[in-house]
Structures are given as structure tokens and as C-alpha cells.
Amino acid sequence: MDFDRPEHSPTSDTFEQLVARRLSRRDLFRVGVVVGGAAAVAGIAGPAAALPSPASPPAGRPGPVGRDNAFRLPITPVDPPAPAPFDSPVVAAGYTHDVVIRWGDDVFPGGTPFDVDTQTAALQQRRFGFNADYTAYFPQRRNDNGTKRGTEGLLWVNHEYTDGRMMFRGYDPAAPTREQVDIELAAHGGTLVRIEQGRDGVWRHVPHRDNFRVTATTPMTLTGPVAGDPRVTTTADPTGRAVLGMLNNCGGGVTPWGTLLTAEENFDQYFANAAAVTDPRAKEANARFGIPAGASERKWERFYPRFDLAQEPNEPNRFGWIVEIDPYDPRATPKKRTAMGRFKHEAAAGTTTADGRWAVYSGDDSRFEFVYKFVTRDRVNRNDRRNADLLDSGTLYVARFAADGSGEWLPLVAGQGPLTAANGFATQADVLLHTRQAATLLGATPMDRPEDIEPNPVTGSVYIALTNNTRRTEAQEDAANPRSANAAGHVIELVEDGKDAAATRFAWNILLLAGDRTTPEARYGTFSPDQVSELACPDNLAVDSLGQLWIATDGAPGVLGTMNDAVLGLTVTGPERGRTQQVFGGVYGSEMTGVFFNATETTMFASVQHPGEGGTLAAPTSNWPDGGSSVPRSSVVAIRRA
Ligand code: FEO
Ligand code: CA
Ligand code: CA
Ligand code: CA
């Protein structure tokens, strides 16, 4: 969900004039420059941008999986499917898609078919949740290198948030019922479900007793430096270690020891009555997260006191974490790993450091918030079980981007630099509970809403999606966020010193500026249309074993006008670097999320989130995927060769 929709149309004079005025030459050299033939590929194309910067990584070696990869670029991209909006997915020539699982489909055996008019919380607990986001694929047997690793999988899917207007007929936002609230609690979290590809090539989900649902009420354990801190204790949990549920899980990542990480993002929207909090530091943090002073929009606090800060001021401190889940053990308790900091985590993808530790990147998706990295203290052990608590000890860093294309990871460690007791950071728990405040004190660079971050195992670079920030003013432009009123977003490439994810210094450049290539140059100021890639609002990212980057977008219709949100691929090295090619387009009102490949990279999974958003069940603006007059249902699709 994009909770920061642009406030004004990017086609307005104000926007053009604003942007046209600016952008210094100094910043320009960092952006990919035009190479002729940018329009040589039919359909949607980005710049063939040469990046002579020393930061530009050499092409690497594809991983062993790359041989079977069904998405080797170039593809024949989706032609601009004007005029949008439209309500059936579009797929690049030579590809097809299956709907793998929809909101309300049974995850366990013995269920009844979904009917929007007979929902109950008990039924929703056993069904696929609402608004699918990040997806991850695991072979059904851990470390399976056999022929079935690519056709029999465990699919994890985040359920980011719910929308009562799209779930219940006659929903009254001012007075939701307890049953509606309970259904929404059960439709949050995530789903782990078996999937199989049949001989006909079609992917289907398989109800199974070892599938599992995680919801907003699933018992979880708080681990790491904040666990047991008085600020995470509540009436229901005096230990400060036993939390109910996870909320607003957006992006994620997988670890080499076979677990998945899922990121709690906009947790502020579930809480009410921040005005009742008296502690000044908690007050400041709540305000910066956006927790309302009075009633919440969802009104869950009417039924559950834990969402009411007047009754349970510490409950929000138990959200905004990275959660670790074992897909191979339905009985294992999910762990909230506090060492990785508390903010609006968008993502949690990682990579191995030169000395064998694990590094996890995570953006904080709000305007002017930061990019983070966590590096474990210990090495990844070959024995999976020995990594059970690896993520509880390590160093959290925040990024500062310098104008000369260099950068620094600043350690968020209590007692170091300005993070002193005098400044309110006596303990590491102080730093982790108030990560944003600590990062500000260190001088981190405020970014244009960091969404997904994804390391590239082939090139050794790291890609950061900055989705948009229409509130950046001219005075706030900097080299890493070079466009004020940035409605379309950009993608930064970060190269760690020595290509080592444990490095504390890095180089960076802009991989692409998103926008509309067909509009006058004036819209991009000193950037020419050939420096702009045809996409808008990059959000989820994925990198395949060929080192190709895949981008899911959230906001294209508002910026490009002619296109629904989409999944696009691009190469990040060579003469085609930065040229986007659309492989899939979603449906009316939806954003695309959750790009992930099966183990052989013959299939790309993606989620169509919130089809028909903005409408109601009484007047749906989408009937996808079932057509006719059916209610729209967020679903996971499998994209594969036709
Ligand atoms: Fe949940 Fe920032 O997207
Ligand atoms: Ca978004
Ligand atoms: Ca997102
Ligand atoms: Ca990703």
C-alpha cells in the first residue's frame, strides 16, 4: 500500500515548473546518460544508460540456476496497454500466468468454498489472507537438489493489510462490528502453503495440514536486546517477551539457514489515542510514526484495549520489527528480532559478508526516512539449527550518501558517537526502540521513501527502490534524491567497498530515474527523457541468478496514466543497463508486489494486491480474478513460459 499517495497531479504546471528549474550539473553526472537507440526496443523501454562511474560493477558470473531461467532479457515486452485502467492482467509475448491462490482460498483440507457473505473469523483463520505482498518460494524438502525442487514448493505470502470496504458489504468505517474486526485480524499476517506445478504446467496450491497461517493474533516471541525491556511490557504480558501477532508485513527476505524474514511496516495505523502517552520520548516516536492522537481509522481499539494507548501505552513498541519464521516447522514460534531496529521496515533481503556473516538490508518507508543494514556478529553456521539466534547479535547501521558518490554506514551503537546517555541512548534498547531518532542524530541521509532493497549476487551491488516523495522541496534536493516533488521515484545502486557487505563505506550511483518518457523534457528539468525509465514508483525488487533486476511498481496509473502497476525487468550491466521491459501488468486499482522465483527460475511469482482499491463491494471497480460480477480478490500469480 502506498500511504503516501501524491497530493497533486504530476502533470500540473506547478510540478513541471518546480522540477524544470532545478538540478545542478553536479548531480547530473551520477545519473545514467543517454545512449542512442533507447527506443530501439518495441514497447516500454528505459534508457540504455552508460554509467562510467567507477562504482559501476563488472558483469559477474551467473549462478548455476541461471541455465534454466525463463526470463532472460531481452523479452518482447508488454506493449503499452493503453488506455489503462483495464481489468485483466497482461503478460509479455510468449508468457502466460496462473492464479495460484486467492484471498479466501482454503489453506487446510476440508474447507468450504469462499463466499463473501458468509465470512467468519474462524473460517478466515484457515483461509488465505487479504492483500498479498512479499512472496518467497522454498523447495518442499529443505536442501532438495532433485528434479522436484522447482515444481513442488512451499510458498510464503505476506498479508500486508485489510480494507473493510473491500471485504464486507455495507461496511461502516465509523462502526465496524466485532466480527468484522476479528475477520480482519485473521486476514493479516502471512500464509505458508504448499504449491505444485502440474504436468499441464499450471501451478496450484495444495491444502495440507502442515500448511500454516500467521495472523495478527499468533503468539510470537520478542528476542534480542529489547526483549524484556520495561517499555515492551503490557498488562497481558508482564515479561515483555510474548507478543500477539504481526502487523502490516510488507517486504521480506530468506536466509541461508532456511528461514524467512518478514517486515512489519505501517504499524501506526492500528493504534489509537497517542495523546494519552505522557513519556516524552515515546510521545516523540509515536508522533513520527504517525500514530493518531485520537481514534484510529480502523477502530479496533473499541474491542481490543491493546490497540488503545490510553490503556496500553507500550503495545506499539512491540511492533515495527523484522520477524523470523521457519517455513519447515509449522509449530515453531515466530521471533521478532529486535536487534534489527524498530521502524517501518519495508524489506529484509540479505547477503553473505566476505567472512561468512549475514547482512540484511532494510528501508524505512516514509518520506525522509533512512536506509539501514544489519550485520550479524557471528558467522552463518553450516548446521541450520546453530543459526537459530544468529539475528539477535550484530550491528545495525544507517546510510549517509555523500554528493561525490561515496557513502558511509554509520553504526547505531549505544555509547558510540552522539548516541550517549546524555542524548537519551544509554542502552542498546534505547537505540533500537527509537531507531529513527538515533539515525537522525548520526546524520543519516533522509531519502525519498526507501522501499525494497535487494543485493545482486552476480554483480555484488545492492539496489534500493526509492518509490516517490512529492514533499521534497527544491531546497531539500541532494545528489541521492535529486528531484524535488519526486512523484515517480528512482533506484539507487550501492556498491560496498570491496564488494563486502560488512564494509562501512560504499560507492553509489543512480541506476534509473522513473517517469514518463513521452512527456516534454521540461518535466524532468535538466534530466532528459532519455535518462528516464518508463515506470513509476518502484516498490518490490527481486534479482535472479542471472543478475537481472525485477521491479514491481505501486503508483503507475497516477504518474504514467497509460499503464496499470506492473512487473518490469532490466539488466544492470552492459549497454542495455537501465532499459526496462514489462513482463506483467496488474489490474484496475491494484499494485504489484512480491516478486520471487521458483528454485529453477522457470516461474516468477508475484502478487496482485488490492485489485479495485478505491471502490466498494457494492460498486466494485474490479472483478478480478473471477470475472463477471464477482468481488475482487488479491491473489498470487505464477508467470511462466506459455
Ligand atoms: Fe508496504 Fe512501503 O510498501
Ligand atoms: Ca509502495
Ligand atoms: Ca512495498
Ligand atoms: Ca525483494
Side-chain angles (χ1 to χ4, degrees):
M1 170 82 184
D2 184 345
F3 287 97
D4 285 343
R5 300 251 183 238
E7 294 77 19
H8 61 269
S9 160
T11 52
S12 70
D13 288 339
T14 318
F15 178 88
E16 288 178 9
Q17 287 161 357
L18 241 181
V19 181
R21 253 175 274 149
R22 307 298 330 297
L23 301 169
S24 68
R25 288 271 140 205
R26 175 206 71 194
D27 294 343
L28 241 184
F29 79 95
R30 206 146 302 295
V31 178
V33 218
V34 178
V35 165
V41 170
I44 290 168
L51 269 166
S53 153
S56 191
R61 237 174 245 275
V65 181
R67 208 196 23 246
D68 297 325
N69 184 296
F71 300 87
R72 190 183 291 267
L73 298 171
I75 57 174
T76 305
V78 174
D79 281 330
F86 50 95
D87 200 33
S88 57
V90 286
V91 194
Y95 293 86
T96 186
H97 78 282
D98 312 316
V99 175
V100 184
I101 189 165
R102 304 163 293 181
W103 165 49
D105 280 342
D106 271 302
V107 173
F108 301 98
T112 50
F114 175 76
D115 175 352
V116 76
D117 294 312
T118 59
Q119 299 179 73
T120 67
L123 284 171
Q124 181 59 69
Q125 296 248 359
R126 300 176 56 82
R127 291 172 166 173
F128 192 67
F130 205 74
N131 273 348
D133 204 300
Y134 173 73
T135 61
Y137 175 100
F138 301 84
Q140 284 190 11
R141 279 158 297 283
R142 171 95 177 112
N143 298 322
D144 181 1
N145 286 314
T147 53
K148 293 189 169 169
R149 74 190 195 284
T151 55
E152 296 184 357
L154 302 175
L155 188 73
W156 169 267
V157 186
N158 282 352
H159 301 299
E160 188 181 26
Y161 68 102
T162 55
D163 180 351
R165 292 161 304 177
M166 300 304 295
M167 295 173 77
F168 311 112
R169 293 195 205 281
Y171 178 76
D172 179 1
T177 67
R178 175 183 285 267
E179 182 68 10
Q180 287 170 341
V181 170
D182 286 344
I183 292 168
E184 292 196 47
L185 284 160
H188 270 78
T191 297
L192 191 285
V193 62
R194 277 152 181 75
I195 56 169
E196 288 179 8
Q197 187 175 30
R199 292 205 177 151
D200 55 359
V202 175
W203 284 92
R204 299 176 180 89
H205 76 279
V206 183
H208 191 281
R209 64 179 176 174
D210 286 336
N211 292 337
F212 60 87
R213 281 294 327 281
V214 174
T215 74
T217 59
T218 302
M220 310 201 168
T221 307
L222 217 49
T223 73
V226 177
D229 188 280
R231 289 163 291 184
V232 289
T233 60
T234 63
T235 308
D237 172 32
T239 70
R241 293 171 190 273
V243 179
L244 288 184
M246 57 185 198
L247 292 169
N248 216 272
N249 291 74
C250 190
V254 299
T255 69
W257 55 96
T259 63
L260 77 97
L261 303 179
T262 170
E264 292 185 305
E265 193 192 11
N266 296 299
F267 62 92
D268 52 301
Q269 60 179 258
Y270 303 91
F271 295 96
N273 299 324
V277 173
T278 49
D279 174 74
R281 301 204 69 220
K283 220 176 169 59
E284 182 196 352
N286 290 340
R288 185 153 160 186
F289 282 128
I291 299 178
S296 75
E297 208 177 307
R298 294 174 173 276
K299 315 278 188 299
W300 291 4
E301 68 274 13
R302 291 186 187 172
F303 305 103
Y304 294 100
R306 68 176 173 129
F307 296 115
D308 180 356
L309 272 59
Q311 299 183 66
E312 294 292 348
N314 289 344
E315 186 72 5
N317 294 340
R318 293 140 66 86
F319 294 84
W321 304 106
I322 299 280
V323 186
E324 184 172 18
I325 292 173
D326 184 350
Y328 293 101
D329 185 358
R331 286 160 294 276
T333 307
K335 306 275 198 318
K336 295 199 175 188
R337 302 295 190 187
T338 65
M340 301 163 86
R342 175 173 169 263
F343 47 89
K344 294 189 180 182
H345 282 282
E346 173 76 22
T351 189
T352 310
T353 66
D355 62 0
R357 293 177 287 155
W358 191 243
V360 180
Y361 295 90
S362 193
D364 183 353
D365 180 8
S366 289
R367 297 182 183 96
F368 305 108
E369 292 294 344
F370 310 125
V371 168
Y372 296 87
K373 170 174 83 170
F374 176 79
V375 182
T376 61
R377 184 192 64 195
D378 300 325
R379 293 189 182 138
V380 177
N381 198 289
R382 282 193 188 180
N383 180 338
D384 289 345
R385 275 172 302 188
R386 295 222 177 136
N387 299 312
D389 299 314
L390 195 71
L391 296 173
D392 284 340
S393 304
T395 305
L396 182 66
Y397 300 90
V398 67
R400 179 160 60 204
F401 295 82
D404 66 356
S406 70
E408 227 183 317
W409 289 109
L410 311 164
L412 287 149
V413 178
Q416 287 191 20
L419 302 181
T420 61
N423 284 330
F425 298 101
T427 67
Q428 192 59 16
D430 294 333
V431 173
L432 298 170
L433 278 166
H434 303 294
T435 309
R436 286 179 164 186
Q437 287 72 20
T440 295
L441 207 52
L442 287 174
T445 303
M447 307 298 287
D448 285 349
R449 295 189 53 206
E451 296 254 27
D452 206 357
I453 303 178
E454 198 75 43
N456 186 328
V458 177
T459 63
S461 297
V462 179
Y463 299 94
I464 304 167
L466 288 315
T467 198
N468 61 57
N469 180 359
T470 50
R471 289 193 196 154
R472 187 174 290 273
T473 65
E474 293 177 25
Q476 292 170 313
E477 286 173 359
D478 58 36
N481 301 276
R483 292 189 292 186
S484 54
N486 180 8
H490 56 290
V491 177
I492 284 180
E493 176 177 56
L494 183 153
V495 186
E496 301 275 20
D497 264 14
K499 300 274 176 81
D500 180 1
T504 56
R505 299 199 59 85
F506 58 84
W508 67 272
N509 61 78
I510 290 178
L511 173 70
L512 64 83
L513 295 167
D516 186 344
R517 290 170 62 84
T518 62
T519 53
E521 187 168 352
R523 179 187 276 199
Y524 299 102
T526 52
F527 296 112
S528 77
D530 280 349
Q531 290 174 297
V532 170
S533 295
E534 187 82 6
L535 77 159
C537 307
D539 193 329
N540 290 53
L541 303 178
V543 176
D544 62 24
S545 68
L546 299 173
Q548 303 174 136
L549 179 65
W550 298 89
I551 303 177
T553 70
D554 172 18
V559 178
L560 299 180
T562 58
M563 137 183 218
N564 284 351
D565 276 315
V567 179
L568 311 99
L570 62 142
T571 53
V572 294
T573 57
E576 298 295 303
R577 173 180 157 92
R579 186 199 304 280
T580 54
Q581 300 174 48
Q582 185 181 351
V583 66
F584 187 88
V587 301
Y588 185 81
S590 70
E591 73 175 272
M592 290 304 303
T593 58
V595 179
F596 207 94
F597 293 89
N598 70 334
T600 48
E601 295 186 354
T602 53
T603 299
M604 172 193 291
F605 298 100
S607 305
V608 178
Q609 196 189 88
H610 57 73
E613 186 172 72
T616 65
L617 281 193
T621 53
S622 168
N623 305 105
W624 187 83
D626 300 329
S629 58
S630 62
V631 302
R633 297 165 74 179
S634 176
S635 305
V636 176
V637 295
I639 304 158
R640 57 186 172 87
R641 282 247 170 82

